[in-house]
Amino acid sequence: IKVLEQTIVGTISATAGGAVSTSSGAQVRLPANAVVTQNGQSYTGSISVAMQWIDPTADDLHQRLVGDLSGIDVEGNEVVLGTFGMMNVELWDDQGNELHLAEEARAELTWPVPSERLSEAPQSIPVWSYDEELGTWIEEEVALQDGNRFVGEVGHFSSWNLDWKGPSILVEGQVTYNNSSGSILTAFRVEVHSPLFGSRGGYLTPDGEFQFRRFPADEVFDLTIKNICGETIYEETYGPFSQDTDLGVIDISNNGTGETSVSGIAVDCDNNPIEGAIVQIETSLNKYYIEETESDGQFEFTVPFCGSSTSAEVSIVDPNQMLVSAPQSI
């Protein structure tokens, strides 16, 4: 995941109201005398507006988005979502205390629509807020298209999301490497891409299995598999599917990924073997691998790497003594 910087984009007079915008065109507009303190008292000072717009076309959307793009609609159904952009908004007073909209007050939010998504934009779209206690998106409002933007009103501040909604299915499959499974498959990343669904993905299990739950039904999508170098080694278009679907076995060969066995014995400062020590390996590609030692301190595991060779650093953590070794280059 990526942590978003808390950026103050501007200030608004609580008594006069006003609007602030980001360079991307996202905007918050507050009416006059509409903000209260955490105790519910009317606030009359200057309001600092912290705001972040999350671009639905960003390559790293899966790391920036809040939740997992599923939610509960106004009828109480669990649905899959396709985002047209998210917005995080917080209000603060001069002392760094969080402020809130007064009861019955409404604020206007404006979301920009990227040019490559404009042709897909509906005239109206549900607006969802993220419920941190339930851990899901809740359908609350409606925004209307106005040229290359959506405009809607909200009654509180949260993470807000513009999404179409639809029924969900399960899409799964299995990947093999030269017709077999193995730990090398954990270095392969599988991703799905579609215009409305966006992009999301993750790493394979040692058995090469993958599952995309809460996947939108009746959606044509591209499935890609990337090796540890980030190179696309498989790409295919699938769908649409109206029910749970198993894509079967996808075999990969000659993908430019190597693997090596790393073994050793973890010992303490008196050269006694450590049971349950944590072995950490960090490769030059910023990939991490972790293994726990046996009763005699021994460890052995397979580490994949990119190209003909790579470098790495090994360190041992003794959780009992709260000590860590100096990293050893290999």
Side-chain angles (χ1 to χ4, degrees), residues 16 32 128 142 152 164 172 178 187 197 229 234 238 287 291 330:
W128 310 68
V142 175
W164 62 267
E172 60 185 342
N178 289 330
F197 188 56
C229 314
Y234 178 86
Y238 292 92
K287 301 293 185 183
E291 188 72 29
I330 58 174

Side-chain angles (χ1 to χ4, degrees), residues 144-155:
L144 302 178
Q145 185 184 359
D146 180 14
N148 62 350
R149 60 182 190 168
F150 281 106
V151 180
E153 290 188 344
V154 299

Side-chain angles (χ1 to χ4, degrees), residues 45-113:
S46 178
I47 304 168
S48 295
V49 182
M51 187 176 169
Q52 281 276 5
W53 174 67
I54 300 177
D55 185 347
T57 64
D59 292 336
D60 59 353
L61 176 64
H62 65 283
Q63 294 177 309
R64 292 176 176 267
L65 59 80
V66 180
D68 64 353
L69 286 181
S70 65
I72 300 173
D73 67 10
V74 291
E75 297 175 346
N77 300 315
E78 185 174 308
V79 293
V80 65
L81 307 179
T83 184
F84 273 82
M86 301 180 184
M87 194 185 308
N88 300 321
V89 181
E90 296 174 350
L91 307 181
W92 302 90
D93 67 12
D94 294 333
Q95 305 302 315
N97 301 306
E98 192 168 5
L99 301 169
H100 305 281
L101 279 179
E103 189 174 353
E104 306 300 332
R106 306 279 287 173
E108 182 184 88
L109 300 185
T110 298
W111 292 261
V113 180

Side-chain angles (χ1 to χ4, degrees), residues 117-169:
R117 297 293 301 276
L118 195 56
S119 62
E120 308 159 8
Q123 292 300 304
S124 64
I125 190 169
V127 181
W128 310 68
S129 70
Y130 193 75
D131 188 312
E132 294 185 358
E133 292 184 3
L134 296 178
T136 193
W137 293 97
I138 305 295
E139 183 179 3
E140 286 198 37
E141 308 284 354
V142 175
L144 302 178
Q145 185 184 359
D146 180 14
N148 62 350
R149 60 182 190 168
F150 281 106
V151 180
E153 290 188 344
V154 299
H156 63 91
F157 284 111
S158 166
S159 294
W160 289 97
N161 195 0
L162 297 177
D163 294 87
W164 62 267
K165 60 181 178 179
S168 65
I169 60 173

